[in-house]
Amino acid sequence: MEELTRVDPNEDPYLALRTAFSVSICVILADPLGVTQPMMPVVLGMSLMSNQRGALNPRSFMGPVMLPVMAFVFSWLAAATVSEPMLFVLVNIALAGAGIGLMLFKGSRLGVVLTVFPAMMSMSVLYSDQALVAIRDSMATGGLIVGVTAVVLNILFPPQTARVHIEQPKPFATENPAAELLIRMAVYVPIMLMTYATGDMNLLIVPIMLAFICAEPDRGGRLQQLIDRGGGTIVGAVVAVGAMAIYYVVPQFPVLVALIASITFFLIDKMTTGASRPLYYQYICSVALVMLLSSTFGARDAFEVVVQRVVLTSGAMVGAIALLSLLEAVFLPRKGMAGSPSAAGAA
C-alpha cells in the first residue's frame, strides 16, 4: 500500500490548523444539518484534510466530491441486493476482492473505497433500513461539508509551496498473484460474512482492520499496520478517556468542540513533527474522535465503547497476521519476497 508521507512544516505549516477547524465545523454543523451520525463527517473530514500533501491541485478535492456519489452508489447496491442473499454475498465478495487486490498489487487508495464503504453500507442495511439511510446521508452531507470547508480553509491558510505531491505507491510484485489474493480472501471473506451474520454494527471494525492487514505483502508491513493501527487504537482510547473525563465534569457543547479541536490539532501536528510514522498519529486521532463522539452522541456506555474497540481491533489484527503467515508457509513456501528488505539484501 501507499505510505502516508510526512509533511515538511516549511511547505505546509497550517496542516494541523486546517484539520482542526474542519472537524470543529463538522461537529458544529452536524445538528443543524440533521446529521444523525456526526462521527462520520468528523472522521472523514479529519482523514481527508490531514491527507493533503504539497500544493493544491484538482485531486486535493476529489475525496469530498466523491463521498456523496459513493454514499448513494454503494447504499443503492446494498439495498438492491439484500433481498437476494446469494447475490448480496457474491457482490460483497467481488468488491472486497477487487479492493484488496488494488491495495496489494497497485497500492491504490481506490482499493480502500471498494473494501470499506461497501462493507459499511452492507452492514447497515442488514441492521435496518433506517441505519442505511443514516449512514448514507451522514456520508453524503459530510462530503459536502468537508468539500466547502476544504476550499475556504485552503484559501485562508494555504500551503506554502508550489510543489505538487506525486504519490509513490509500493505495489506487490509476485509470481503467483492469484494465489496471494486467494490466501488473503480465505482469511478476509469468512470474517466478513460472520460479521454480517451477527447484524451488529459495532463489529464492523473487525473486517475493516483485516482489510488493511490483508493488503500488506509481508509480515513486516503487517507488523507496521499492527503498530500504527493497533497501537494507535490503544493510545487513542487513552486520549478519549481523558477527554471524556473532562466532558463529564463540564458537559457543555462548546467544551466538546474545544476538546475535539485540541485533540485534532495536537495529533495532526505530530504527523509533521513526531518521531513515529504519520499514520500512527492519524489513527490515534481517528480512534479518539470516534470514541468521544460515540460516547457523547450515542446511547452506548463510554467504557463499553473503549474496551470493545481496543479488544476487537487488537485481537482481529493479531489473529489475521498469524493466520496469513500460517497459510503462506503452507501454500506459498519461499525464501524471500520480492520488494521486501530481506529479498533486497539477498539480491
Side-chain angles (χ1 to χ4, degrees), residues 9-230:
N10 295 318
E11 291 189 350
D12 195 352
Y14 305 120
L15 177 67
L17 185 63
R18 286 197 309 269
T19 309
F21 271 128
S22 178
V23 297
S24 301
I25 292 169
C26 287
V27 173
I28 293 169
L29 293 180
D31 186 55
L33 294 179
V35 178
T36 56
Q37 300 289 328
M39 64 284 295
M40 183 73 67
V42 167
V43 173
L44 289 173
M46 182 279 298
S47 178
L48 291 170
M49 293 294 287
S50 62
N51 279 343
Q52 187 173 318
R53 297 291 183 272
L56 290 177
N57 60 80
R59 191 170 182 180
S60 303
F61 304 101
M62 285 300 294
V65 170
M66 290 302 296
L67 274 176
V69 177
M70 292 186 295
F72 281 93
V73 169
F74 290 134
S75 65
W76 173 84
L77 190 61
T81 58
V82 70
S83 58
E84 297 290 339
M86 184 61 70
L87 180 60
F88 181 81
V89 169
L90 290 175
V91 167
N92 278 275
I93 291 176
L95 289 172
I100 292 175
L102 284 172
M103 287 191 282
L104 182 64
F105 300 122
K106 299 294 184 181
S108 173
R109 291 184 185 178
L110 178 60
V112 179
V113 173
L114 292 178
T115 308
V116 174
F117 289 134
M120 291 172 56
M121 296 301 177
S122 297
M123 195 70 186
S124 300
V125 76
L126 289 171
Y127 185 78
S128 70
D129 293 340
Q130 291 78 12
L132 177 65
V133 172
I135 293 291
R136 181 199 66 194
D137 292 350
S138 296
M139 186 186 297
T141 306
L144 295 175
I145 297 173
V146 174
V148 173
T149 56
V151 172
V152 174
L153 292 172
N154 274 286
I155 292 174
L156 296 175
F157 309 104
Q160 305 297 300
T161 179
R163 182 183 64 86
V164 175
H165 175 71
I166 299 176
E167 297 178 350
Q168 297 180 338
K170 297 179 180 179
F172 177 39
T174 176
E175 296 178 355
N176 299 305
E180 296 281 0
L181 183 58
L182 283 174
I183 284 177
R184 285 158 174 79
M185 294 299 288
V187 173
Y188 180 80
V189 170
I191 299 299
M192 178 188 73
L193 296 180
M194 284 190 290
T195 304
Y196 288 175
T198 65
D200 188 351
M201 289 288 293
N202 300 315
L203 299 181
L204 183 59
I205 190 63
V206 175
I208 290 176
M209 288 298 101
L210 256 62
F212 289 108
I213 292 295
C214 292
E216 291 292 343
D218 56 19
R219 275 172 283 185
R222 293 166 200 158
L223 289 175
Q224 285 184 334
Q225 289 288 334
L226 178 62
I227 293 170
D228 291 343
R229 298 184 187 275

Side-chain angles (χ1 to χ4, degrees), residues 6-9 12 15-16 267-274 278 281:
R6 191 178 299 276
V7 175
D8 185 343
D12 195 352
L15 177 67
L267 289 170
I268 302 306
D269 181 67
K270 280 293 185 180
M271 288 178 65
T272 300
T273 61
Y281 298 109

Side-chain angles (χ1 to χ4, degrees), residues 227-312:
I227 293 170
D228 291 343
R229 298 184 187 275
T233 298
I234 297 172
V235 178
V238 174
V239 173
V241 168
M244 290 175 198
I246 296 173
Y247 185 69
Y248 178 79
V249 175
V250 190
Q252 301 295 326
F253 185 69
V255 174
L256 178 64
V257 174
L259 286 170
I260 289 172
S262 301
I263 291 170
T264 304
F265 181 86
F266 175 77
L267 289 170
I268 302 306
D269 181 67
K270 280 293 185 180
M271 288 178 65
T272 300
T273 61
S276 299
R277 289 165 22 117
L279 178 62
Y280 175 68
Y281 298 109
Q282 187 189 57
Y283 201 72
I284 293 174
C285 186
S286 174
V287 170
L289 296 181
V290 168
M291 289 184 178
L292 181 56
L293 290 169
S294 296
S295 62
T296 52
F297 285 93
R300 299 176 64 203
D301 179 73
F303 182 77
E304 178 190 357
V305 172
V306 172
V307 173
Q308 186 179 64
R309 180 68 180 265
V310 170
V311 171
L312 288 177

